[in-house]
Amino acid sequence: MAATYLHTMFGPQARALQQAAGSRASYARMEAHAEEADMLGEREIAFIAGRDSFYMGSISETGWPYVQHRGGPRGFLKHIGGNRIGFADYRGNQQFLSTAAVAADDRVSLFLMDYPNRRRLKLIGHARGSDDPADVAALMMPGYAAEANHAFLIDVVGFDWNCPQHITPRFTEAEIRGATEPLLDDLTRLRARIAELEGRDP
């Protein structure tokens, strides 16, 4: 459940605004169940494994919030064990903004989106970078043509599932192809059958 996530994220001003809006009592009941961490369950682990991208927010060295898009093959963000997840840091523009941010302040926030099904999972945790070849190798995706000599390991503190409101369904090329190919196959068979009935070549 999201008890620890909410307890960690809510501050005095947020709680005061909730009180004024009439939502505080409900959130207070949820916060009452907060523990050291919201433990990842089968639902969260399966959702993480199904993603091919996510957004990671960190606190930059200059104190500004920074959000970075991370992408790769489906499953590149891996559940390592317990409440730890991680991913290989594929070679990019070499700005090292997230790497530097995490070195200065290890708190991160992740948004994982499932646009077709309008689902969203938010995670917060403590991250660290690793140059250990064993960590990097364990998080690489077989057959993916990308270079990495760095990895991120994240110990999840809390998570929260959001409602589908205002999430516009979006589909990848592969998802569209998978949905339309059966229809095209049916159309081909239908044309062949019509041609057969009319006594001509399809």
Side-chain angles (χ1 to χ4, degrees), residues 61-109:
E61 293 178 285
T62 60
W64 284 88
Y66 177 67
V67 179
Q68 186 173 55
H69 171 267
R70 291 284 179 162
R74 190 177 302 276
F76 81 102
L77 178 60
K78 297 179 179 290
H79 175 245
I80 298 172
N83 251 34
R84 178 168 291 182
I85 60 176
F87 61 96
D89 186 12
Y90 299 131
R91 184 182 177 92
N93 57 21
Q94 295 188 292
Q95 292 182 345
F96 303 110
L97 289 172
S98 294
T99 303
V102 165
D105 188 324
D106 70 356
R107 292 173 296 171
V108 294
S109 177

Side-chain angles (χ1 to χ4, degrees), residues 19-173:
Q19 186 66 40
S23 60
R24 180 61 203 147
S26 175
Y27 287 125
R29 286 193 294 271
M30 296 179 69
E31 282 191 73
H33 297 284
E35 299 180 351
E36 184 176 348
D38 294 323
M39 299 306 297
L40 297 174
E42 291 183 3
R43 181 188 181 199
E44 290 76 34
I45 293 170
F47 189 83
I48 290 168
R51 307 280 62 79
D52 60 7
S53 70
F54 65 91
Y55 305 92
M56 184 171 77
S58 56
I59 303 169
S60 73
E61 293 178 285
T62 60
W64 284 88
Y66 177 67
V67 179
Q68 186 173 55
H69 171 267
R70 291 284 179 162
R74 190 177 302 276
F76 81 102
L77 178 60
K78 297 179 179 290
H79 175 245
I80 298 172
N83 251 34
R84 178 168 291 182
I85 60 176
F87 61 96
D89 186 12
Y90 299 131
R91 184 182 177 92
N93 57 21
Q94 295 188 292
Q95 292 182 345
F96 303 110
L97 289 172
S98 294
T99 303
V102 165
D105 188 324
D106 70 356
R107 292 173 296 171
V108 294
S109 177
L110 278 65
F111 261 52
L112 281 63
M113 303 296 301
D114 176 0
Y115 287 107
N117 296 299
R118 301 174 66 211
R119 295 187 299 169
R120 174 175 55 201
L121 177 63
K122 300 184 297 186
L123 302 166
I124 55 172
H126 298 285
R128 68 176 177 87
S130 174
D131 296 326
D132 185 335
D135 287 336
V136 177
L139 293 169
M140 288 294 290
M141 295 294 288
Y144 187 54
E147 296 181 18
N149 53 16
H150 188 77
F152 283 97
L153 306 174
I154 303 169
D155 291 313
V156 175
V157 170
F159 64 82
D160 187 22
W161 291 92
N162 279 143
C163 71
Q165 190 176 19
H166 308 306
I167 299 177
T168 301
R170 304 179 191 279
F171 301 88
T172 65
E173 181 180 349

